[in-house]
Amino acid sequence: MPPRIPLPRSLLCQTRTAARAFSSTPRPQIAKITIVGRLAAEPELTSTSTGQDMVRYAVGTSYGPRENRQTSWWRVASFVEEGKGREKLMGLAKGTLIYLEGEASMRKYESKDGKIESALSIVQQRLEILKRPEGAASAASDAIEGM
C-alpha cells in the first residue's frame, strides 16, 4: 500500500467548505447502463413532442447456451447533434455489434387496456462500433459521443 500523502491544511479546509456548501441540495439519481449487443434494425430519425431531433434504435443482447439462448431487447434514444456523429449513427446496418453507454431511467405509463406498465428508457451517452456485418463499409473512427 503506498504511503498517504497529507494534504496542505489550506487545501483541506477549502475542500471541506465546498462540500458543506453543496450538501443541502439532493444529488440527482442517475443510473448508468452498459450494453454490448447487435442492432436490431437500422436507426431511424424521429422528433420528440417538442420538435427536437432524436435517433431511435434497438439493441439485442443474448445469453445462455445455444440450445436455450435468451435474448433481451433494449430501446435506445440518441440526441446526437446534426453532423458527422449523426451520419455515422444513421449509417449503421442491422447486425452491427456495438458497445453502448447510457443513462437509464424507469418510467410508468398507462397501456391501452388501462394497466399501469413500466418501461426502461435509455439515452445514449457513448457508442462504439465493435464489428460491422459482412459487406458493411468501415469508418476511420467508430466512436460516437452523444446527447
Side-chain angles (χ1 to χ4, degrees), residues 57-86:
Y57 57 95
V59 179
T61 57
S62 298
Y63 57 94
R66 283 196 183 268
E67 58 275 353
N68 195 19
R69 183 152 294 173
Q70 302 286 322
T71 302
S72 298
W73 298 100
W74 309 89
R75 288 178 289 190
V76 182
S78 175
F79 295 93
V80 177
E81 296 291 324
E82 192 171 358
K84 283 185 177 183
R86 186 187 292 176

Side-chain angles (χ1 to χ4, degrees), residues 34-132:
T34 302
I35 298 172
V36 174
R38 296 192 180 275
L39 288 181
E42 293 180 0
E44 61 182 38
L45 182 63
T46 61
S47 295
T48 64
S49 59
T50 60
Q52 185 178 11
D53 286 343
M54 171 176 64
V55 178
R56 300 187 91 182
Y57 57 95
V59 179
T61 57
S62 298
Y63 57 94
R66 283 196 183 268
E67 58 275 353
N68 195 19
R69 183 152 294 173
Q70 302 286 322
T71 302
S72 298
W73 298 100
W74 309 89
R75 288 178 289 190
V76 182
S78 175
F79 295 93
V80 177
E81 296 291 324
E82 192 171 358
K84 283 185 177 183
R86 186 187 292 176
E87 288 175 21
K88 283 182 189 177
L89 184 57
M90 294 298 296
L92 295 178
K94 176 181 177 178
T96 302
L97 183 64
I98 62 167
Y99 168 88
L100 168 74
E101 290 179 5
E103 289 183 7
S105 62
M106 290 297 293
R107 62 181 176 85
K108 292 185 178 185
Y109 64 95
E110 189 173 331
S111 64
K112 292 179 183 177
D113 55 343
K115 290 183 182 177
I116 300 296
E117 302 281 343
S118 297
L120 179 67
S121 298
I122 301 172
V123 177
Q124 172 192 314
Q125 297 295 308
R126 183 169 178 246
L127 180 133
E128 284 190 37
I129 301 162
L130 300 177
K131 185 177 180 184
R132 295 177 184 269

Side-chain angles (χ1 to χ4, degrees), residues 1-6:
M1 189 165 161
R4 287 187 68 174
I5 300 171

